[in-house]
Structure formats: structure tokens, C-alpha cells
Amino acid sequence: MARAIHRLSKREIKQADARGLLNDGGGLNLQIAEGGSKAWIFRYVRGGEERRMGLGSLITVTLDEARDLALTQRKLLQARIDPLDSRRAQAAELTQERRKLEASTKTFAECAEAYIAANEAKWRNPKHRAQWRASLATYASPVFGSIPVADIGTPLVLEALQKIWSTKTETASRVRGRIEHVLGWATLHGYRSGDNPAKWNKHLEQALPNPAKIIAVEHHPAMPYEELPAFLPRLREQEGIAAIALEFLILCAARTGEVIGARWSEIDHDERIWTVPGQRMKAGIEHRVPLPAQALDVLKRAASMRLRGNQHVFPGGREGSGLSNMAMLALLRRMGQTDITTHGFRATFKTWASERTNYPNRIVETALAHQLEDKAEKAYTRTDLLAKRRRLMNDWAKYCYSPVTSQADNVINLRKEIAG
């Protein structure tokens, strides 16, 4: 009498090469395909129709293992459970678990980038797209960019906004709205649940003053330009990349975000130009910075501290990252300069240019990457005044390193140069 199950021997399985099915009994079959590949399948009838379920290749599933798998399927059938339906249910459960795990680790920065990618096509203005990324990277990400979006609550949102709510009210209000949009997107896609901690009505309006009622605007505390030549030698005595970055920031009259994000690929040593991409500029427009010899010297010192694999000119503590946005301010505090900020050095430059030189305001404002307020003038402007700004930045660098004892009469007459 033929055996109901376990009909095949290992020798038969090994020697078989004809295309077709070898029945081991109990629904287990070895399927031999054209070309000789062999795989286990479980055949059964459900609802009057034959169904086939793959159990794996002979290369990875032995005869004994295949028989165990077939036994499991027969027990499911005995319990009136369809084996294929059971497998699909298990796969769906695993997928759900993976999604839950992904949701628990999806960071705000990842959600922000996904939201922007999904919506930037409808933002026709490139400047608007750049401002979205720049504002969130500058004000939200330092506080909770790396935190799972599911864990972000009102305290973290307030921590990001309160720093700028009174001093940069319009910017802060826009950042709040953008955070709300990103968190709303995350909720829609199942990465978080509950109320939106960044919503204004009946929520943050209870904790923050109405933007329309904030009148006073505080300017960034700045160092008087007369004190700068005495400050720079002290700065050069400081160790670490933050001191080098701050010196570069001063010489270029640049913003913190522009400097800490600088890459070596942006530096053209031959032309002596640093090109800051639009996404890192406040106005979202690419900005060229003419580099005086002193700034190139700073870059040489930065190059000596370059880390392998890190493209940042001023690398941070984490692998592949740039300097922290608080590193230079912390340096100033260690130097005892508690009354100024890094951004204030732009005001120092502006005041020096206004009081000690004859450069037109338009050249100075362009050097600071400020946009023209006059829309008509802006529409007809086709140059970034690079050559004239180069002379301005060269004179600024000379002043920065001028002898401390000769500042009182250090007035630069540049009428002839500007006219040229």
C-alpha cells in the first residue's frame, strides 16, 4: 500500500530532473521547473478550488523542514483557517508593526523635508521654497529637528518660538505657521496623533503675545567698531574652530547660518569668491562674497583642521556636520563678551562703513545681502556690484587688523575709487 505522507526519499529528490511535481503526500509537493530549479509547494483545496502555497526553494528548505511546514498548514486547515489567508494576515501585521516603528522614529526634520517635497510644486516663487527650508532649519531644527515627531509637544514648540517672538516677530509668526503645517502633515500620515501643539487659536495665543501688539523691536547687541581692532588679536588667541569661524564671519560681514553651513565647494580660491547658495540666505537668493586676503588666510587655517569626509569649512562635533549655531556665541561668552552677539558684527560693519568711509549705502547694503526696498530700483538692478564690494571688503579687512593706537583718525577717503 502506498504511503499517505513522506513518500519521497532524499535520493529521489536529488536525482529528479524532469519538469513537473513530485508528490510527498499530505499536500506537500516538490516542483521542478524547466532548467532544473526545485521548490516546495503546498497544495490544498478551499471552496472547491485548488490553491498553491510556496514553502521555499530546496536550496534553503530541506525535506524535513518542508514536511514540518506542510504539517503546520494541515493543522490550519483542520482549524478551518486558510493557510494563504493566514500568511497574508501575518504579513499585514508585520507591515503594521514596521509602520508603527517608523512612526515612532520619524523626526521633525524628516517630516519637514517630506512636507516641502510634497508641496513645493505649488509654490511658484523659488524664494518662498528656500525660506521654508531656511526658517525651519534655523529656528525649529536646533530645538527639535532630530526628535521623533510623535514626541513633540507644546513645550518644545514654545522653546523654539519664544527665542525670537519679541525680536523677530514676523519671522517667528511664519515659523509657527510652518511648524503647524508640518505637524499637521505628520498627523495625517500617521506619524503622530492628538492636537497640533503649534496651532494658534485657543492654544499658543494663551502663551504668546499677539504679534500685532508687539511694538518694541530689539536690535542685536553689537561691538562698537572702534573696539574691533583690539578684539581681533584676542580672538586669534582662542583655540578651536569656533574662533576661526567667528573671524571669517566678521571679515565677510556674514550671518551665522551662512558661515556654519559653508562648504569647501562654495569657495573659489582663484577668483577669491565665496558663493552662498540661496537656500542658506535669508532672502533665498544666491550671494557672492568677495574674499580679502585676510579671509583667505582664515580659510587656510580652517583647512588645516579639515576632517576627512566632512565638506563643511567649519566642521562640528558630529560626523559630517557643521559647527553648531551656538558655538560662536558661546565663544564670545567665554571671552567675557556678554554684551554682544555674533549677528551684531554686521551692525559693526554697517556703522563703520557709514561713519568711516564714503561708500554709497547701496554697496554696503548689497555687501550685507540686504534686498532693495525700492521695487522699481530692484526691478532694474542687474548687477551685484561685486567689483565695488571687493574694494569695500578689502578696506574693511585692513581696518579690522589696523594698529589699535591709530583708530581715532582712521577715516578712509574712497571717493576716487568709488567713482572709478
Side-chain angles (χ1 to χ4, degrees), residues 26-29 41-55 70 73-74 76-77 81-88:
L28 178 62
N29 291 263
I41 64 169
F42 180 74
R43 300 169 65 195
Y44 64 99
V45 177
R46 191 74 171 170
E49 295 184 359
E50 180 185 302
R51 308 195 76 180
R52 296 189 177 194
M53 178 180 182
L55 300 179
Q73 312 317 315
R74 289 195 296 271
L76 287 174
L77 287 169
I81 299 173
D82 188 306
L84 281 173
D85 290 346
S86 176
R87 174 183 281 183
R88 293 191 185 104

Side-chain angles (χ1 to χ4, degrees), residues 92-374:
E93 186 176 346
L94 287 174
T95 300
Q96 186 67 20
E97 289 299 320
R98 283 196 297 269
R99 287 178 178 172
K100 288 181 179 179
L101 179 62
E102 181 183 358
S104 68
T105 58
K106 195 81 168 180
T107 66
F108 177 84
E110 291 171 335
C111 288
E113 189 57 38
Y115 176 86
I116 294 171
N119 291 275
E120 63 182 349
K122 66 183 180 183
W123 299 333
R124 297 181 180 179
N125 189 346
K127 175 181 176 181
H128 185 61
R129 294 196 293 269
Q131 287 177 337
W132 256 87
R133 282 192 171 89
S135 63
L136 291 177
T138 302
Y139 302 111
S141 287
V143 178
F144 49 75
S146 60
I147 293 178
V149 71
D151 297 336
I152 297 174
T154 303
L156 284 174
V157 175
L158 282 174
E159 182 180 345
L161 297 176
Q162 286 174 330
K163 297 176 180 179
I164 56 172
W165 196 259
S166 296
T167 57
K168 299 180 179 179
T169 306
E170 184 178 355
T171 298
S173 183
R174 290 175 180 171
V175 170
R176 183 210 61 78
R178 289 165 185 170
I179 294 173
E180 182 180 9
H181 280 299
V182 172
L183 295 180
W185 178 93
T187 301
L188 180 66
H189 287 78
Y191 296 123
R192 60 173 287 116
S193 59
D195 293 335
N196 194 318
K199 72 176 183 178
W200 179 255
N201 293 333
K202 298 181 180 180
H203 188 58
L204 290 185
E205 66 176 354
Q206 308 296 328
L208 297 170
N210 190 318
K213 295 182 179 180
I214 298 177
I215 300 176
V217 177
E218 295 183 14
H219 295 286
H220 294 276
M223 175 179 287
Y225 67 84
E226 297 91 343
E227 299 177 11
L228 190 58
F231 170 76
L232 282 172
R234 290 180 54 221
L235 178 61
R236 283 205 166 187
E237 292 175 356
Q238 306 301 310
E239 296 183 353
I241 195 67
I244 297 176
L246 181 56
E247 188 174 354
F248 187 75
L249 176 144
I250 294 171
L251 290 170
C252 297
R255 299 181 179 90
T256 299
E258 297 160 13
V259 171
I260 64 176
R263 269 72 166 176
W264 286 108
S265 58
E266 299 167 4
I267 308 295
D268 186 333
H269 287 86
D270 294 334
E271 297 296 328
R272 294 178 295 140
I273 293 175
W274 169 34
T275 303
V276 188
Q279 60 263 32
R280 219 165 57 246
M281 295 299 301
K282 182 178 181 180
I285 300 173
E286 180 182 278
H287 180 56
R288 295 193 299 169
V289 181
L291 298 173
Q294 294 87 340
L296 293 172
D297 177 65
V298 172
L299 290 176
K300 287 180 181 178
R301 285 187 280 135
S304 69
M305 302 180 68
R306 187 172 183 177
L307 301 178
R308 179 179 297 179
N310 194 326
Q311 297 302 313
H312 286 83
V313 176
F314 307 105
R318 293 183 300 168
E319 184 177 354
S321 69
L323 199 63
S324 162
N325 67 330
M326 296 299 292
M328 290 183 282
L329 183 60
L331 170 66
L332 287 173
R333 297 297 176 262
R334 291 196 300 272
M335 295 177 66
Q337 301 288 168
T338 59
D339 56 340
I340 60 175
T341 66
T342 52
H343 195 87
F345 284 107
R346 287 165 57 81
T348 302
F349 167 78
K350 168 78 173 181
T351 306
W352 167 83
S354 299
E355 296 186 1
R356 295 291 187 179
T357 80
N358 294 314
Y359 283 101
N361 185 62
R362 179 183 170 191
I363 295 176
V364 178
E365 291 296 302
T366 304
L368 291 167
H370 287 163
Q371 298 301 299
L372 296 172
E373 295 184 2
D374 189 314

